[in-house]
Amino acid sequence: MLLAKPFATLALLGLALHAAAAEPDWREQARTDLDFAAQAIAERHAGAVLGHAHILNQLERGLRQARADLPLVRSAADHRALLRRFVAGFGDPHLGLQTVGKLKGWNGLLIDAVDGRFEVVHAEPDADLPPVGSELLDCDGVWIGSYLKARVAPGVTEGLEMPSGLSQLARRVMFDNDLGWAPGSCRFRLADGPLREWALPARPFSASWPEERLDRALAQTSFTPLPVGLTQPAPGVLWAAISSLNLGDPPTAQALDTLISQLAQQGPKAQWVVFDLRGNGGGASSPGGRALKALYGEAYGGQLAELPYNGKQAVAHPDTLQMLRGLAARSDLPADMLGQVREALQALEGAQQRGERVATLSPVAPPAARDALRAQVRQRPGGPRLAALIDRGCFSSCMAFLQMLQGPADTLVLGEATLGYSPYGEIAPLPLPSGQGTLRLPSAFFVSEQAAQQPFVPQRRYPGRMHDGAAVQAWALQQLQAAQTAR
């Protein structure tokens, strides 16, 4: 019995040593994942393979910075922060990283960029927080714009000057997501002028501070996209809400089919058709062309559908081919989309057999042909006048649809600036070697007249925040009436 305690102590020590040994070497895992991500981008990202400067420059710059930060990695949170900041540096939502970490806490504030100011748009009522309408000036002694650049999105060199980009970052900063960007204290200018500093500890979600509080706050301060469908909010005005173009979701695909059928029946007799694209993060581009053909017929609608596309190229990598083969085998996709997938697959297989890294899926049109197409579509051959309502949630295929809608000279674009344009697509998922996340890479390049990372901007900007759907719709209807009267 005298030996029992020493043996028990040794056993506990062994368990402790085993537990310590079981803890991953996060620095080494970060190094492995970083090298994997950099190599994957170099070999599979359409922009890198095609030699696009803004991708290659950021790959070199971001990799250099991330490698310099590797000695600071000591935990899973550090690992995620380094990888996510490296990927965020490319400034393109088509290139993304999904990690296993989740939101851990919140300090009760929501911030947004409003009319050039960083403003409190929500404050939990039972916490000591600056009131709604206060202007956020700096955090931890650093101006908030620089704080966002340095802490929330290091490495991002393009696009932060866009209001939508700053707004995206401002809406993230008050959360503890285990990435180390939530501030300790911030200084605010109150609505009546005085300056005051608040400590802002992020509170872990619990029974007394449940995550549902955040859900309610976001619902009150963010726009919830309307379901896909057609309504008539005013005489002569059809309101086509298209919050998604995701044909991979059967309910969305069915709703789009129904909407397009309704447009074919009711649209030609309408005075206006408003395409509400708020919150539309993309999907397929074909529904946009089908909607315009339903309104104007195959000839003119088909010309509008050609406007966004000036050629397409794709990387002939085995992963891209595998993704396309999976799509080609699906029975739930529309026939026109399946046809495009199979044509792309055939072109990529041919390029791979010839040892080519890139396949041309559609040739680039000569400038003279593009100019002629734009001139042909400027005058509508009768039918309804078009309006588009856009916001910072409009991205990817939503932007392609917007380019179609902008063909007629009298189209009215309303709302707020979108995110910066990305000319890439055809996303393939790549799990990280560590198992700590998945890299999402675009393998295709769409030749376009819109510059990469340049936002689409409205002709008439909504004078406020876009979260109040009813107020925005009422304002939009006023703009239609004013535009009609001015003719």
Side-chain angles (χ1 to χ4, degrees):
M1 295 298 293
L2 292 175
L3 295 177
K5 186 173 182 179
F7 275 126
T9 302
L10 288 172
L12 289 173
L13 179 59
L15 288 174
L17 291 173
H18 177 75
E23 178 70 14
D25 184 340
W26 291 110
R27 186 178 306 167
E28 188 56 36
Q29 287 206 5
R31 187 191 315 276
T32 301
D33 285 346
L34 177 64
D35 290 344
F36 171 84
Q39 183 175 356
I41 292 169
E43 294 179 352
R44 309 183 197 189
H45 189 294
V49 175
L50 290 166
H52 295 168
H54 71 287
I55 298 296
L56 293 177
N57 289 345
Q58 181 56 35
L59 177 58
E60 178 184 358
R61 182 170 51 234
L63 188 57
R64 183 171 59 247
Q65 180 63 54
R67 284 175 173 161
D69 288 341
L70 275 170
L72 304 176
V73 175
R74 298 182 178 88
S75 66
D78 295 340
H79 169 276
R80 287 194 294 271
L82 184 138
L83 267 294
R84 288 186 63 174
R85 287 169 176 171
F86 169 68
V87 172
F90 290 87
D92 180 0
H94 278 141
L95 174 60
L97 180 68
Q98 295 172 315
T99 58
V100 297
K102 66 168 293 185
L103 187 64
K104 292 189 171 183
W106 176 45
N107 58 29
L109 278 182
L110 294 178
I111 306 296
D112 205 348
V114 183
D115 293 332
R117 301 173 359 130
F118 295 95
E119 191 172 292
V120 177
V121 296
H122 176 83
E124 285 295 286
D126 58 346
D128 180 21
L129 295 170
V132 171
S134 302
E135 180 182 4
L136 173 57
L137 301 176
D138 51 64
C139 289
D140 296 343
V142 180
W143 174 65
I144 182 58
S146 298
Y147 186 94
L148 294 175
K149 174 72 171 60
R151 295 291 297 276
V152 181
V156 176
T157 55
E158 293 87 9
L160 282 186
E161 72 280 3
M162 296 184 296
S164 60
L166 287 172
S167 179
Q168 290 275 338
L169 298 181
R171 285 180 287 152
R172 299 177 186 175
V173 70
M174 295 301 172
F175 303 104
D176 173 15
N177 60 357
D178 209 17
L179 292 177
W181 68 39
S185 64
C186 295
R187 196 167 54 127
F188 297 82
R189 187 188 308 277
L190 305 186
D192 56 354
L195 302 182
R196 181 179 165 188
E197 185 168 351
W198 266 269
L200 298 173
R203 296 174 59 174
F205 292 116
S206 62
S208 61
W209 188 264
E211 198 164 354
E212 287 75 14
R213 293 178 69 135
L214 174 59
D215 294 338
R216 289 194 297 270
L218 291 173
Q220 295 168 358
T221 58
S222 302
F223 170 67
T224 301
L226 301 174
V228 175
L230 189 68
T231 57
Q232 185 173 352
V237 179
L238 293 179
W239 194 277
I242 302 183
S243 55
S244 174
L245 292 165
N246 181 12
L247 296 182
D249 176 54
T252 299
Q254 179 60 53
L256 286 168
D257 286 343
T258 301
L259 184 148
I260 291 169
S261 296
Q262 292 172 329
L263 285 176
Q265 297 168 7
Q266 305 174 40
K269 301 176 183 178
Q271 188 175 22
W272 285 92
V273 174
V274 180
F275 286 96
D276 185 347
L277 303 179
R278 289 175 292 173
N280 188 320
S285 56
S286 57
R290 290 168 53 208
L292 293 174
K293 290 175 185 177
L295 287 176
Y296 299 115
E298 287 289 327
Y300 184 67
Q303 288 179 314
L304 293 176
E306 293 178 18
L307 287 174
Y309 308 112
N310 190 23
K312 179 181 178 182
Q313 297 171 293
V315 179
H317 190 278
D319 287 346
T320 307
L321 272 73
Q322 181 179 355
M323 177 186 68
L324 289 176
R325 289 184 183 118
L327 290 173
R330 290 176 56 173
S331 59
D332 59 331
L333 297 182
D336 56 345
M337 186 175 180
L338 274 176
Q340 294 173 9
V341 168
R342 288 166 181 161
E343 288 178 8
L345 181 58
Q346 184 178 10
L348 285 167
E349 288 174 338
Q352 189 181 52
Q353 291 169 2
R354 295 188 297 271
E356 300 171 355
R357 294 186 69 190
V358 176
T360 297
L361 305 186
S362 59
V364 176
R370 297 291 297 175
D371 291 343
L373 176 62
R374 283 194 300 271
Q376 290 168 7
V377 299
R378 286 185 61 80
Q379 181 63 46
R380 285 182 296 109
R385 189 171 174 184
L386 300 176
L389 182 59
I390 59 174
D391 69 354
R392 55 194 160 201
C394 177
F395 184 67
S396 195
S397 292
C398 177
M399 294 173 167
F401 188 22
L402 179 60
Q403 291 178 75
M404 300 178 200
L405 297 173
Q406 289 179 308
D410 59 355
T411 293
L412 197 60
V413 182
L414 310 170
E416 68 179 1
T418 68
L419 292 171
Y421 176 68
S422 168
Y424 306 111
E426 313 293 6
I427 312 301
L430 296 172
L432 295 176
S434 67
Q436 295 294 309
T438 301
L439 185 69
R440 299 171 62 253
L441 270 175
S443 59
F445 168 60
F446 297 87
V447 183
S448 174
E449 294 161 5
Q450 182 81 358
Q453 298 182 320
Q454 176 183 349
F456 291 88
V457 296
Q459 295 162 313
R460 302 189 183 190
R461 178 177 174 274
Y462 181 65
R465 297 177 61 245
M466 299 282 287
H467 70 285
D468 189 337
V472 173
Q473 185 180 70
W475 171 84
L477 293 175
Q478 292 174 356
Q479 304 310 305
L480 302 188
Q481 185 175 11
Q484 195 67 26
T485 304
R487 293 188 67 181

